[in-house]
Amino acid sequence: LAVQYGVRPAEVPTTGRQVTGFFDKSPLAAQLCNLECNATAAVSISHHFVQKMQEDKLRGAIVFTSSAAAMMPGPFSVMYASSKAFMSQFAASLAAEVKSKGIDVCAVHPSPVASNFYDKAHKLDAMEFFKQFSVSPDALPDVIFASIGRSVLRDIGGVCIMFRLVTKFVDTNFLAMITAATAHTMADYKRYSSGGK
């Protein structure tokens, strides 16, 4: 991916999946790599296998990893939040087309997962806060397998459930307006404004 977008491997973000900081201050190539990793690659792979499954009249399941971040505005991690929101909407839309053909689609929204994803990630105060409530990676497979055929969008963990509840009671536009109006007061905004990482 890095070569495709003209980025030298050393310039690719250490997580490879989450570019943090101000959108306009990070290289476009890094943002596009983030989009490719989180969304575009899944679309290409899904297209191939959905075609094959339908040609061969195979039943099965397609599972996507989205995120609790899909439900909230994601300042300082714009491409991550928006690509995960895309994956959730893609899963919901695709499920409507293929369910009657014996193909289940499920997008899981795990809360932060206690993994090495964060080891060398750019630091966000919000991410550090929510890591305290992370889900064990060992807990995910059973929940994911139990969700196939029963749920299209599956929330896992306390952070995700809290985000989902917020979106049930607070209008999405209002949430976006509040976030836009207050983001400049966040520690992450101040750090990135002063050139910090």
Side-chain angles (χ1 to χ4, degrees):
L1 297 178
V3 173
Q4 177 181 345
Y5 293 112
V7 180
R8 293 189 309 256
E11 295 172 340
V12 175
T14 55
T15 63
R17 297 178 304 272
Q18 186 172 23
V19 177
T20 55
F22 287 116
F23 175 76
D24 65 308
K25 301 295 185 211
S26 54
L28 176 60
Q31 295 288 349
L32 292 173
C33 281
N34 201 169
L35 177 64
E36 178 76 27
C37 181
N38 289 351
T40 310
V43 170
S44 299
I45 292 167
S46 300
H47 188 267
H48 172 80
F49 283 104
V50 168
Q51 274 188 336
K52 289 292 189 190
M53 291 168 80
Q54 291 194 56
E55 285 169 8
D56 298 339
K57 297 188 177 8
L58 297 174
R59 298 176 59 83
I62 299 170
V63 178
F64 300 109
T65 304
S66 185
S67 171
M71 297 173 223
M72 296 284 171
F76 326 116
S77 185
V78 170
M79 194 56 68
Y80 183 81
S82 58
S83 62
K84 293 301 186 176
F86 169 83
M87 287 312 305
S88 297
Q89 190 65 8
F90 178 69
S93 300
L94 182 59
E97 291 186 7
V98 299
K99 176 74 172 173
S100 64
K101 297 172 183 175
I103 302 172
D104 291 307
V105 178
C106 182
V108 295
H109 300 127
S111 295
V113 178
S115 69
N116 61 4
F117 176 82
Y118 304 100
D119 288 354
K120 294 183 180 179
H122 298 279
K123 299 299 179 197
L124 288 174
D125 289 349
M127 191 174 4
E128 292 299 313
F129 173 76
F130 289 117
K131 273 175 40 181
Q132 299 174 74
F133 311 103
S134 60
V135 175
S136 166
D138 295 336
L140 296 178
D142 289 340
V143 174
I144 292 169
F145 284 117
S147 301
I148 295 171
R150 294 186 178 101
S151 181
V152 174
L153 302 174
R154 179 62 162 92
D155 301 336
I156 304 170
V159 171
C160 191
I161 292 167
M162 179 190 69
F163 282 9
R164 179 71 67 195
L165 287 172
V166 167
T167 62
K168 295 288 183 199
F169 296 106
V170 179
D171 176 73
T172 304
N173 182 51
F174 182 74
L175 186 60
M177 293 296 292
I178 292 295
T179 304
T182 61
H184 68 281
T185 66
M186 297 176 187
D188 290 320
Y189 185 100
K190 293 172 183 173
R191 181 174 51 253
Y192 287 118
S193 290
S194 65
K197 292 186 179 190

